[in-house]
Amino acid sequence: MRILFINGPNLNMLGTREPGIYGAKTLKDIEAALQIRSDKCGTEIDFRQSNHEGELITWIQEARDSFDSIVLNAGAFTHTSIGLRDAISASGLPTIEIHLSNVHARENFRHHSMIAPVCRGQITGFGEHSYFLALEACIGFEGGNA
Ligand code: DQA
């Protein structure tokens, strides 16, 4: 099973970016820990980050041919991007929306997700564990449990 992990804007700044909210781990740290878990589970992951909305959309469009599911931390684009929403919808791949922080416990503008209606589900507020939980959820799809 192949899973595409996509990270949106400013997530390359993890480690130094508001550590009280997002934690002290860098995106590379999270990727390394996730890779170990993925190897244990027998899944294959591809882990990417971009600050550019168009690039994220292209990755989602292309995922159809090479991946079984997508895990997306769209960062701030979560709250604004109809383009990302349409790309998820068009891809037809099960997509999980994730966030490190609990977006519902933060500012009002973070309470609305443009992409949530076209995602299989949302995992929010568990720090780096949001990524690990999403991996579990993807494995659940394959087992027919979700
Ligand atoms: C985030 C939450 C978003 O509201 C914010 O814009 C981010 C990170 C998270 O992982 O908690 O950039 O997606």
Side-chain angles (χ1 to χ4, degrees):
M1 165 175 229
R2 298 202 72 215
I3 307 164
L4 177 59
F5 282 79
I6 299 180
N7 295 280
N10 298 308
L11 291 163
N12 56 314
M13 303 296 289
L14 288 183
T16 54
R17 176 193 183 198
E18 300 179 270
I21 296 174
Y22 298 115
K25 298 265 173 77
T26 65
L27 199 59
K28 281 268 165 237
D29 293 334
I30 294 174
E31 180 180 2
L34 190 65
Q35 187 63 64
I36 291 168
R37 284 171 188 246
S38 172
D39 289 347
K40 281 191 186 142
C41 296
T43 50
E44 267 182 68
I45 61 167
D46 188 330
F47 196 90
R48 306 179 190 172
Q49 189 274 332
S50 175
N51 291 323
H52 304 281
E53 188 175 7
E55 188 164 35
L56 300 172
I57 289 171
T58 299
W59 287 343
I60 293 168
Q61 288 177 358
E62 291 172 352
R64 194 181 186 147
D65 298 328
S66 350
F67 295 93
D68 301 298
S69 49
I70 299 173
V71 176
L72 176 60
N73 185 347
F77 293 149
T78 304
H79 316 296
T80 61
S81 180
I82 297 170
L84 274 180
R85 176 193 173 121
D86 286 350
I88 295 164
S89 209
S91 85
L93 287 178
T95 299
I96 302 177
E97 173 185 348
I98 68 165
H99 302 284
L100 293 148
S101 63
N102 179 355
V103 289
H104 301 292
R106 300 182 62 195
E107 302 93 328
N108 279 339
F109 64 83
R110 293 185 208 276
H111 297 177
H112 182 255
S113 166
M114 281 287 181
I115 63 173
V118 294
C119 288
R120 286 289 287 268
Q122 187 189 60
I123 298 170
T124 185
F126 299 98
E128 66 176 316
H129 297 284
S130 293
Y131 288 79
F132 308 152
L133 291 167
L135 175 68
E136 294 278 337
C138 291
I139 293 166
F141 297 155
E142 194 169 59
N145 297 325

